[in-house]
Structures are given as structure tokens and as C-alpha cells.
Amino acid sequence: MSEPFFALSGYDSRRGRGSHEAGRPQTFAVPSLLRSLLSEHLDPGYAAAAARRDQQPPGTAAGGRAAGWAWEALAALLIATVFAVAVAQARSVEPGVRDAQQVLAANVRSAESTTGNLTDKRDTLTDRVYDLRRHRLADDAEGQRLLAGLDKLSLEGASASVTGPGLLVTVTDPGIGRNLSDASKQRVSGSQQIILDRDLQLVVNSLWASGAEAISVGDVRIGPNVTIRQAGGAILVDNKPISSPYSVRAIGPPAELRDAFDRTPGLYRLRLLEMSYGVGVRVDGRSGPDLVLPAGAVRDIRYAKQIGAS
């Protein structure tokens, strides 16, 4: 160690030595900083606090502890009072909330019933129009050509029901289970739902690419202006909620449709979900007129027009 280092510690190696002792071996004492670290184990602040406590009158410490206990008791009483008021308020508004929920549920059931009745009436009228149209146009060659064109347009526009062979793809969401409690098993943070709207979208697009002539998801026909989207924990097809198991029906040649669908990204996605999350996937070929697809909703198509244009 150099001499400046010992100078900082207050140690002088030549102190008390004569000139005749200059050649003797020198003994290096422990510097004051290291000596204090080895000998003084208590921080000076603790020692000062203990000294101040010893200088206080005998009853001061007990009074301080009593004051601390009093403040703690007051804080606990205040918290208990707040919780009691919150519980009382929740109990007072609970009947009103329950009544409001019952009214809303009754309104929803009434609206669903009305929508179902109107849908049945629309389907009945659509079938009558379809029968009358075929009866009036099937007598001559021109009418038959017109019927063939209308049938093609109605198939593309999903405006008429379809019956025939095809594929039935059934996808079952595993739901809440032991293995899904882990956050790594959640495809959406905070949700236990595995099958999402984009999965069904990919399956439908893969069936179209495989040669399907008509497709329905659940009991909803897929046609123009029909969307499959996520709304919270529900999947809406044309704004109608569907639930697991999700059935996707496709009209087309079963063998060719199955071979083509086996090589599509839609089935690859389902198999990956099956291995990773336990999703149930089943693909069945149906021969004969086993699959019945309902008619879709027909909407008026509106076009934008420049203001002032004829």
C-alpha cells in the first residue's frame, strides 16, 4: 500500500521511530476505516436513538405506544364503517337492480320471439314466391332459361334454401377445464374461449376455395353482406349468436370437397387447436340430400351517388 493511502486514514508509519530504526522492517497497522468496520457493528444512528430513548422520562415511551394503538384502532374503526356503509347501500339498491334485470330479460325474450316469428313469416313468403315463379316460368323454353339464371343467382346470393350432399365440419370448444387455468392456455387474455371468429372465418374461406357451392354456419346461411365476428365472449354470424359446438355445412361433391379441404389452412388451423388446446374437430362427408341449408337474409343493395348527379 502507498503512503498517501495511510495518510488518508490518519496513520503515520514513521511516528515514534528514530533515525536508527529507519532500516527496520515496518509493521503496517490496520487503517481506521477497516478497524471501525470490524469493531463497531452497530450503526451510529441506532446508538443515538437508543441514547435519546434512555434520556426520556419513564412514562413517555408507554404513552407513545398507547397513542399509536389509539390511532390504529381509529383507522380500523373508520375502515369498518366504510365497509358497513357500502354493504348497506348495496343491499338497498339490490331489489331495484334485480327488477331492472328482469325487465331487460323479458324485453330480450320478447324481441327474440318477435324476430323468430318475422323470420318464419319471411321464409314462408319466400317459399311461396319461389313456387309461384317456377310454376309460371316452367312451361316454355324461355321461362326455363330464365329459371336457370335465377337459380344460379339465388345460389350465389343465398336467397333460397339448398339441399344436397357435402361436408359437415363440427368444431367443439373445450370450455373451462383444469388445463385452461394457466394464462398460457388462453388465446385471449382473461378469456377461456378457444374458438374465435377468425378460426371460423378461415374454415369458411377454405371451404369456398375447396369448391363448396353453399355454406352455412350454425343455422345461418353465408352469403353477401354476412359477417362472422367476435362480440365479447360470443361469436355472431349475421348478428345472430352461435354457441359450441359450431357446425359448418358445405354443399358440394363430398369426395372432392373432402380431399381439397384436407389440404387447406382452415383444417390445419383446426388440427393445431386440437393438439394444443383440446378442441374437438370432426369432418364428415354426407352423400345424398342429407344437408339442408336455409335461405339467407336478402338485403337491398344501396349505391353511393354523387350529390347533384342524375
Side-chain angles (χ1 to χ4, degrees):
M1 297 184 181
S2 61
E3 290 297 329
F5 175 80
F6 293 108
L8 292 176
S9 63
Y11 170 73
D12 186 5
S13 61
R14 297 180 178 84
R15 183 180 300 170
R17 293 177 179 268
S19 58
H20 62 281
E21 297 177 345
R24 293 184 180 180
Q26 299 182 2
T27 302
F28 295 99
V30 179
S32 60
L33 177 61
L34 297 178
R35 185 168 56 251
S36 63
L37 291 176
L38 294 175
S39 60
E40 300 176 3
H41 303 291
L42 186 63
D43 188 88
Y46 292 102
R52 287 194 303 268
R53 186 170 59 252
D54 294 338
Q55 294 175 1
Q56 293 179 353
T60 305
R65 288 195 296 269
W69 292 340
W71 280 111
E72 292 177 0
L74 182 61
L77 180 61
L78 180 61
I79 293 174
T81 303
V82 171
F83 275 100
V85 172
V87 170
Q89 185 177 4
R91 289 179 178 177
S92 64
V93 301
E94 183 179 1
V97 173
R98 189 184 302 111
D99 294 340
Q101 290 176 347
Q102 292 177 356
V103 171
L104 291 175
N107 292 337
V108 170
R109 287 192 294 268
S110 177
E112 289 179 348
S113 177
T114 303
T115 302
N117 293 334
L118 292 176
T119 301
D120 295 339
K121 185 177 180 180
R122 181 204 65 191
D123 295 340
T124 302
L125 294 175
T126 300
D127 293 339
R128 288 180 58 186
V129 171
Y130 181 76
D131 294 336
L132 289 173
R133 183 176 64 191
R134 301 195 71 84
H135 179 72
R136 297 289 181 87
L137 297 177
D139 294 337
D140 55 5
E142 184 65 25
Q144 292 176 0
R145 285 195 298 270
L146 183 59
L147 278 176
L150 290 174
D151 291 341
K152 181 179 179 181
L153 292 176
S154 63
L155 180 63
E156 296 175 352
S159 59
S161 60
V162 181
T163 302
L167 284 185
L168 174 61
V169 181
T170 305
V171 185
T172 305
D173 200 318
I176 300 177
R178 291 182 301 172
N179 295 332
L180 297 181
S181 60
D182 188 0
S184 63
K185 293 292 185 179
Q186 298 177 0
R187 299 189 67 197
V188 178
S189 178
S191 174
Q192 302 289 357
Q193 187 179 8
I194 300 301
I195 303 299
L196 304 179
D197 54 350
R198 56 178 177 265
D199 303 320
L200 297 181
Q201 291 172 4
L202 185 58
V203 171
V204 170
N205 291 333
S206 298
L207 288 172
W208 285 126
S210 300
E213 301 174 6
I215 299 176
S216 69
V217 178
D219 292 328
V220 183
R221 181 77 172 274
I222 302 298
N225 301 322
V226 174
T227 60
I228 303 174
R229 62 186 182 89
Q230 194 84 19
I235 297 179
L236 302 181
V237 182
D238 199 18
N239 292 326
K240 296 179 182 178
I242 61 174
S243 59
S244 177
Y246 307 101
S247 60
V248 183
R249 293 173 288 178
I251 296 292
E256 293 82 352
L257 194 59
R258 176 65 181 270
D259 292 340
F261 183 64
D262 287 343
R263 299 187 298 271
T264 58
L267 188 59
Y268 292 160
R269 170 77 67 85
L270 294 182
R271 296 305 183 192
L272 179 61
L273 294 177
E274 183 180 25
M275 292 185 297
S276 302
Y277 299 96
V279 172
V281 180
R282 183 176 179 180
V283 182
D284 297 326
R286 299 296 181 89
S287 59
D290 292 339
L291 297 179
V292 178
L293 276 60
V298 179
R299 299 179 176 88
D300 295 335
I301 299 178
R302 301 181 182 274
Y303 297 93
K305 184 183 296 185
Q306 184 178 357
I307 298 177
S310 55

